[in-house]
Structure formats: structure tokens, C-alpha cells
Amino acid sequence: AAKASVYFDDLLYRKVREFNRRYTEGEGALIGRLRRILPNIFGNREFLGFLRNAGTFFCNEENRELDLQIIDYEHIENNIFEVTEEFYIHNGTYGNREDIVFLINGIPVQVIECKNADKDEAIAIGVDQIRRYHAETPELFVPEMIFTATEAIGFSYGVTWNTARRNIFNWKEEKIGQLEAKVKSFCDRRHILDLIKYFIIFAEKDEELNKYILAQHQTGAVHRIVDRCLDAGRSRGLVWHTQGSGKTFTMIKAAEVLFKAPESEKPTILLMIDRNELEDQMLKNLAALGLNNVEHASRITKLVRLLRDDYRGIIVTMIHKFRDMPEKINERSNIFVLIDEAHRTTGGDLGNFLMAGLPNATYVGFTGTPIDKTVYGKGTFKTFGCEDDKGYLHKYSIVESIEDGTTLQLFYNLAPN
């Protein structure tokens, strides 16, 4: 018997023909390719490549591979967004039924599990169910990228292939407690496309592949940073995110989105780190994202050469490399400098050398602990926060972090001696 497809085959085929004028393969070819993808986290990473239009097809006419477009990110009205209830699959051994599934161009990309509010831990039960589906019908989670669970009050989200509690976040909406507002803002078409295109990350850690999604405070900060860097009238910003809230991924994603933004016209982006081990981690993460234009300026001479030769791309370097930097080494304005732990590193001379060397660049500082809580107008706030009324571009406080469960309380008692 033919296995039921998890795709709406005819719709997907129609869209692929519409988006790729030179696509001539028969209707079953692409579906066949998608079905052969392994039902595990590696297959899910491969599928995300297709969703990001990084797949290819062979064009007979030109005798070469061409990019295969599956989603139109520019003009979202060209895509077909559908939602269906009771999405059922049976793989010969197990049958499962997902509550609500969202599809784009015939591809299921997001699932919502709905549980009754009267059950304690209803969201946890929803997540357990998604965990079971992974074990029994992993075919569903080749294309599905995001899962959400709700018990009619709260609304939690995470990525498929990672159901660890610390990677599941609460979606917050200004209108407290209104589920409708939460669902509408999370399931907004542009938001879902943004998550798929930019904010899902695969990273290898200890030779194991992990999948993450950026939390709401991270995606919010990335958008603010990109807007600030592309704003001709402003050139400073401070991102104040509490310790342990994922600043590295926020920096990397801001760099990637900026580099790919047509408005930035092939920019130079400096990622400034203040510790060796972070530098190594940063380079590994950038490699995992498949970003090609990355240089590691491990020596001051290399940094000076890259800036003087007008290198376009991402440069990872350490802040102290700017000591004795020549003045006005590059006066372009589409140079964006993202500085980690800005409160420690740009005080005094280093900051002066940096800003004299790149006078027209935009500077965004990241900090978890602004040193000058008491006196507004000193240190970090003065350097980076001078163009925002509140002194910062984006803030994620320890209070919010504790509410979200990103930061956990520490309990201790004294042991008898």
C-alpha cells in the first residue's frame, strides 16, 4: 500500500513549479526526495535547508544545479498558509494524531498541542506527548520545526528534536493572560517565517548535534540591533541582558541577519570578544551556521590588514587587539561593531582607539551587569546608551529571567561542621 504523505503533495508541487520557472521534474520527484530524508535530527537539519531555499534541483536546460525556492520570504502573500486539526499519521507500527498543524505551501512546519486547563502541569503533559510522537512517528518531525503547547492560559514554544525543559519558553504578550493575543502574535505569518529563516539554530556540542530556538528576548534584541545599525541617524546602542541569557547566539544572529540584509550593502561586522575561550566558541558556532565570510583576526597585524583592505564579512577578534590602532583606518559607515561584556572592555583607552580607528562605524555593546546603576551618565550607559532615552536599546532583566525560568534560584544551607 502507498504510504500516506505528510505533505499536501499536489499543492507543494504547484508552488515549486510556480517559484522555480525552470523546474521540470515530474510530480513525484521532489516528494520522493523529501521522503528519503532520515527521520532524525540530522534529517530535520537537512529539511530546514530546503525551507530556507538552500536546496537545489538539476536544470537540464542549463546543465547545472539551480537553487530550489520553496518559500517566498520577500512577498509572503505568495505563499499558502493553512491550518488543520487532527493531523493523523500511521507509519505501519504506530499511529498518532496531532491536535493542530500549521502548513506553508503544503509542508507541515508547526504543531500545537492543546490540553485541558484544569489539569495541573497541562503544558508539561502536552510536551510529554510531543516527546512520545518523536519516538513513535518521527516522520512527522522531518518537516515540523516548531512545537507549541497551550492549556488555554499559557502558551509555550520550542523546537522539535529538543524537548528539554530549559529550551521551552513562555510566549509573552502585552495583554496579560489573553490566549487569543498570544496565539495571534506567535502564529503571525511573518513571525513564523522569521523563526524558520533565522532563529532556529543547529550547533554541535561534544560531537552531538543540538537544535535550539532563540527566545523572545533574543529575537527582540536581534531586530532592534539590526534596525539600529541600519538607522543612518544613530550609531550607538546598548543591549542589557542578564548573565546566562544567551548573548553569544544573540550576537551571532544579529551579525548574520545584518550581513544578509540588502540595505547594509556588503558590510564589515566586528564581533569583539573579551576572553579566549569565548573566541573559540564563537568561531565554532559561526562555522555551524554555515556562514562563509568569516575571518579570525588573531593578531593585530591581521586585523589592521583586513580593515585597511576593506574586507567585507564578519571578523572575530578580541578587544585588546585595538591597542595602538591607527586612526581612521576605515571611514566607511557600514561597519558594525558588536562588543561583548562592553562594561569591562571599552572603558578608557581601548574604546578611544577603537572609535578613532573606525570613526563612522555603529557600535552596539552587550552587557549583563552595567556597572553604573547608580549614576546615569557614566561608563557603559554613557558610551553606548547615549542615543536612547532609557539608556539602552533592549533590556532583559534578572526579574524577567527568573519569571521565565531562564535563571533559577539558588538554594543552599550551611552544612554542620
Side-chain angles (χ1 to χ4, degrees):
K3 243 164 82 176
S5 176
V6 294
Y7 310 100
F8 293 169
D9 299 6
D10 43 352
L11 170 61
L12 176 55
Y13 180 64
R14 197 176 84 228
K15 283 312 225 182
V16 164
R17 290 291 304 265
E18 181 188 319
F19 293 152
N20 306 276
R21 294 278 175 233
R22 305 232 159 119
Y23 187 85
T24 54
E25 292 177 12
E27 184 162 347
L30 178 63
I31 296 294
R33 264 169 85 188
L34 299 181
R35 275 197 195 165
R36 285 192 294 275
I37 293 177
L38 294 173
N40 59 21
I41 187 169
F42 295 94
N44 185 249
R45 176 172 66 175
E46 188 184 335
F47 201 97
L48 184 60
F50 278 102
L51 290 176
R52 287 177 172 170
N53 299 331
T56 58
F57 68 94
F58 187 74
C59 171
N60 292 325
E61 209 179 315
E62 298 191 24
N63 197 25
R64 64 187 180 115
E65 298 275 324
L66 295 180
D67 290 341
L68 178 68
Q69 184 180 353
I70 285 186
I71 294 179
D72 188 339
Y73 288 96
E74 291 291 294
H75 311 99
I76 64 174
E77 65 285 352
N78 290 344
N79 302 295
I80 292 189
F81 296 86
E82 293 169 303
V83 59
T84 178
E85 295 181 278
E86 307 278 321
F87 194 77
Y88 182 74
I89 180 179
H90 199 291
N91 60 9
T93 313
Y94 293 104
N96 278 317
R97 195 182 299 275
E98 294 185 319
D99 289 347
I100 298 172
V101 170
F102 288 77
L103 301 100
I104 301 175
N105 300 335
I107 298 170
V109 294
Q110 181 194 342
V111 51
I112 297 189
E113 281 299 313
C114 310
K115 292 288 155 267
N116 292 335
D118 54 356
K119 285 198 178 125
D120 283 351
E121 291 296 298
I123 284 187
I125 293 168
V127 173
D128 282 345
Q129 206 157 336
I130 284 165
R131 203 172 282 138
R132 194 188 81 229
Y133 297 165
H134 275 80
E136 296 177 352
T137 46
E139 298 82 355
L140 279 171
F141 300 110
V142 173
E144 287 179 0
M145 294 292 153
I146 303 161
F147 70 80
T148 43
T150 176
E151 45 21 345
I153 301 165
F155 190 82
S156 298
Y157 67 101
V159 274
T160 52
W161 301 103
N162 185 345
T163 51
R165 184 71 199 93
R166 68 175 176 283
N167 295 305
I168 297 170
F169 306 112
N170 295 323
W171 180 252
K172 291 187 295 211
E173 174 55 49
E174 323 295 48
K175 301 170 187 162
I176 299 289
Q178 280 199 335
L179 181 66
E180 186 181 340
K182 287 179 184 173
V183 174
K184 279 182 173 167
S185 59
F186 186 87
C187 300
D188 173 74
R189 295 177 306 173
R190 173 56 74 196
H191 179 244
I192 295 295
L193 286 179
D194 253 6
L195 292 180
I196 291 172
K197 188 174 181 190
Y198 288 121
F199 297 128
I200 293 173
I201 294 179
F202 284 91
E204 304 216 12
K205 196 176 170 190
D206 309 327
E207 308 208 344
E208 192 184 359
L209 184 60
N210 289 300
K211 182 181 179 188
Y212 305 99
I213 190 164
L214 265 59
Q216 200 169 1
H217 66 272
Q218 294 174 295
T219 57
V222 168
H223 285 304
R224 290 275 176 85
I225 293 162
V226 172
D227 289 348
R228 173 59 44 96
C229 289
L230 298 178
D231 178 345
R234 297 182 181 198
S235 62
R236 298 277 185 280
L238 178 67
V239 176
W240 179 7
H241 282 191
T242 189
Q243 237 66 30
S245 58
K247 286 203 298 283
T248 306
F249 277 158
T250 307
M251 284 179 83
I252 286 177
K253 274 294 161 187
E256 182 194 359
V257 176
L258 258 176
F259 185 65
K260 290 179 175 171
E263 305 89 324
S264 62
E265 298 167 0
K266 291 221 169 69
T268 303
I269 298 164
L270 282 158
L271 291 177
M272 297 266 173
I273 316 298
D274 77 327
R275 297 208 306 277
N276 282 41
E277 63 272 26
L278 279 175
E279 192 175 33
D280 192 44
Q281 182 192 341
M282 187 67 99
L283 289 161
K284 278 188 181 143
N285 286 332
L286 284 162
L289 289 181
L291 286 173
N292 306 332
N293 301 51
V294 178
E295 283 282 350
H296 179 205
S298 46
R299 318 178 79 94
I300 178 106
T301 45
K302 181 167 182 189
L303 181 59
V304 169
R305 190 179 72 240
L306 286 168
L307 290 170
R308 194 163 271 153
D309 294 350
D310 212 22
Y311 168 78
R312 307 297 176 103
I314 295 170
I315 302 173
V316 176
T317 185
M318 292 186 56
I319 184 82
H320 59 255
K321 300 279 187 300
F322 268 85
R323 205 174 292 287
D324 307 325
M325 173 61 95
E327 220 178 317
K328 295 187 180 166
I329 187 164
N330 196 320
E331 297 184 58
R332 254 191 307 120
S333 62
N334 62 340
I335 297 178
F336 309 115
V337 185
L338 308 182
I339 304 173
D340 193 18
E341 300 301 351
H343 59 276
R344 280 214 292 272
T345 45
T346 40
D349 298 346
L350 282 180
N352 298 342
F353 275 120
L354 179 58
M355 289 169 188
L358 304 169
N360 301 317
T362 296
Y363 294 89
V364 177
F366 290 76
T367 182
T369 47
I371 286 175
D372 34 35
K373 279 187 209 142
T374 44
V375 191
Y376 178 86
K378 271 172 47 190
T380 328
F381 277 131
K382 189 168 142 202
T383 313
F384 295 97
C386 51
E387 297 180 343
D388 293 287
D389 344 330
K390 291 181 180 156
Y392 53 80
L393 180 61
H394 195 272
K395 178 181 175 193
Y396 183 63
S397 68
I398 188 99
V399 176
E400 291 171 272
S401 180
I402 290 169
E403 270 176 23
D404 292 345
T406 313
T407 301
L408 301 176
Q409 286 173 298
L410 187 63
F411 294 103
Y412 60 91
N413 57 9
L414 295 173
N417 58 15

